[in-house]
């Protein structure tokens, strides 16, 4: 009965996108005039809204009615409460936008309100250095700023994403995964407390002990239950330096065995990732600008002979007075691995430079006009027992090269994820993140064109479905209720109940295409 009542109010899994002409059908109450009446510290922008109609993916473009640039949490609360009180007769919806790094239009909203979370002003970042140190930050704060601030106290968050120029609210609404996740879990496993504005406009503080259901709903909740306006993030002592290591494998079984071996150790590397290299030449020479081969003579003689190669990337953090001990630990760990000995490349960089490494690549790509291009990314979580079947087909048959962007592959431990959150992962204790991070040339009709890359993505997804791989999408993108229901599996009913509790009119995050705001019966 509960679910029947809910579906009467919310049209589930509608097939978006809308067409631009839909905005002409809006209720007159949904125009700018009703928003202009609100008493805010910040303000609405109604004319200059074009930049909120695009994102990093560069594939979708939905124009909002307005952008809210909040100066306070009450601005967000007032706006959402106003739209909620208008009831189901209004079509207005709301999307929180951080740094605009979504790839499938998730932070866009057609004819509704985009909240610019980076406009949210809060007191200076607060750091607490007690027994369990933490940092209090705005949901619109960038992780790079958190890192720089916390490093001044010799501290840093435990878990990261590969790219740090993202907002706290954005990554916590998904999971936040990188090479530290095998040890610390994703970023959503390292949060003590949140402040959230629900789909009713209520401002709620929540944690494991206070309003726990909302706390776990919002973490990994794809923005469906509330907008994160403040987060309390766990910190740990930060090292000053990093030993950064890359080695190559030609055998996938050895590659995965070594990865799984390393993440099972207590005293292991601090960061472990891998990537796939298909039909790439000159790779070792490209590394020489920032890495030193342990044996330059052997490295010069290395020839991939056209084979698919697998790179294992690791780091060991240290302070300068620990260098000798850490060198010995690294040597001991490497001695247990079965990589191609001539392909050991090492570097030493600051902790900050390592964590912000992707931004350095961004600067180079921007200088060449290659950053603001379509990014048809596909991120998958593959159970350990299926990873070899997956690799054989995808890396052996479907993909013929990896020149359109990195293909990451590395294992994580399920035990480091909290199953009370909304994030969906495979059931097995070890599963792999496999990320196809492609960039497409806008005018190309060849293998670097968006059409070709999307076709390959679909081929990979179809293979997973046909062969019952048990895959879950990370940063999932579906357009029908059936697909979303299959994604959540037995957790779908819980997800729907949480939606009915915290956002009963489906006002929040319509760009995820899970729920559509109800249309009144005539």
């Amino acid at each position: 009965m509960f679910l029947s009542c809910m579906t009467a109010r919310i049209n589930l899994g509608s097939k978006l996108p809308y067409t631009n002409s839909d905005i002409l059908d809006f209720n007159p109450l949904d125009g700018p005039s009703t928003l202009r009446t609100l008493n805010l510290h910040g303000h609405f922008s109604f004319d200059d809204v074009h930049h909120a109609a695009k994102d990093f993916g560069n594939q979708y473009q939905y124009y909002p009615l307005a952008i809210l640039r909040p100066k306070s949490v009450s601005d967000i609360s007032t706006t959402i409460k106003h739209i909620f009180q208008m009831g189901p007769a209004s079509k207005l919806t709301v999307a929180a936008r951080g740094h605009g790094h979504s790839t499938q239009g998730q932070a866009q909203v057609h004819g509704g309100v985009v909240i610019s979370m980076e406009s949210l002003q809060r007191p200076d970042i607060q750091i607490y250095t007690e027994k369990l140190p933490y940092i209090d930050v705005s949901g619109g704060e960038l992780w790079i700023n958190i890192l720089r601030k916390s490093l001044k106290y010799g501290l840093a968050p435990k878990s990261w994403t590969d790219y740090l120029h993202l907002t706290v609210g954005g990554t916590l609404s998904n999971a936040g995964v990188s090479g530290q996740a095998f040890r610390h879990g994703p970023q959503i496993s390292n949060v003590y407390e949140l402040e959230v504005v629900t789909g009713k406009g209520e401002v709620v503080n929540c944690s494991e002990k206070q309003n726990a259901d909302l706390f776990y709903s919002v973490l990994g909740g794809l923005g469906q239950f509330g907008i994160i306006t403040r987060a309390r993030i766990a910190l740990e002592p930060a090292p000053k330096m990093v030993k950064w290591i890359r080695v190559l494998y030609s055998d996938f079984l050895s590659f995965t065995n070594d990865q799984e071996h390393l993440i099972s150790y207590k005293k292991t590397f601090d960061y472990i990732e891998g990537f796939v290299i298909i039909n790439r030449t000159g790779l070792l020479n490209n590394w020489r600008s920032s890495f030193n081969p342990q044996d330059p003579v052997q490295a010069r003689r290395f020839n991939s002979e056209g084979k698919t190669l697998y790179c294992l990337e690791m780091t060991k953090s240290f302070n300068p007075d620990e260098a000798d001990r850490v060198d010995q630990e690294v040597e001991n760990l490497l001695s247990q691995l079965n990589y191609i000995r001539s392909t050991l490349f090492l570097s030493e960089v600051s902790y900050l430079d390592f964590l912000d490494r992707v931004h350095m690549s961004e600067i180079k790509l921007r200088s060449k006009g290659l950053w603001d291009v379509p990014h048809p990314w596909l991120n998958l979580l593959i159970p350990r027992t299926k990873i070899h079947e997956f690799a054989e087909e995808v890396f052996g048959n479907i993909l013929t090269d990896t020149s359109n962007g990195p293909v990451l592959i590395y294992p994580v431990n399920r035990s480091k994820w909290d199953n009370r959150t909304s994030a969906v992962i495979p059931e097995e204790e070890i599963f792999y993140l496999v990320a196809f991070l492609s960039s497409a040339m806008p005018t190309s009709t060849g293998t670097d064109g968006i059409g070709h890359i999307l076709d390959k993505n679909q081929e990979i997804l179809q293979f997973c479905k046909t062969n019952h791989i048990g895959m879950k999408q990370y940063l999932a993108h579906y357009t029908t209720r059936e697909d979303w229901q299959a994604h959540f599996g037995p957790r779908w009913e819980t997800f729907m109940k949480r939606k009915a509790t915290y956002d009963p009119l489906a006002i929040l995050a319509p760009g995820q295409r899970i729920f559509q705001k109800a249309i009144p019966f005539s």
Side-chain angles (χ1 to χ4, degrees), residues 82-144:
H82 172 75
I83 294 172
F84 178 74
Q85 289 173 345
M86 292 171 72
S90 167
K91 290 184 181 180
L92 284 181
T93 53
V94 175
R97 175 187 172 91
H99 209 51
H101 210 262
S102 298
T103 57
Q104 307 277 2
Q106 290 95 331
Q108 297 180 36
V109 56
H110 175 71
V113 177
V114 168
I115 300 177
S116 174
M117 295 302 295
E118 289 184 281
S119 300
L120 180 61
Q121 292 186 345
R122 297 192 67 97
D124 287 341
I125 296 173
Q126 299 295 311
I127 291 186
Y128 299 84
T129 58
E130 296 132 10
K131 185 177 180 181
L132 292 175
Y134 62 82
I135 185 168
D136 271 336
V137 296
S138 164
E141 192 61 76
L142 297 180
W143 285 99
I144 182 62

Side-chain angles (χ1 to χ4, degrees), residues 239-243 245 316-332 346 348:
K240 289 185 168 55
M241 298 294 292
V242 161
K243 291 188 183 293
I245 303 156
K316 191 72 174 175
S317 302
F318 69 102
N319 291 316
D321 59 349
E322 304 170 314
D324 290 342
R325 176 182 60 79
V326 170
D327 281 340
Q328 187 59 48
E329 289 180 8
V330 167
E331 187 176 333
N332 179 54
L346 307 97
E348 285 189 10

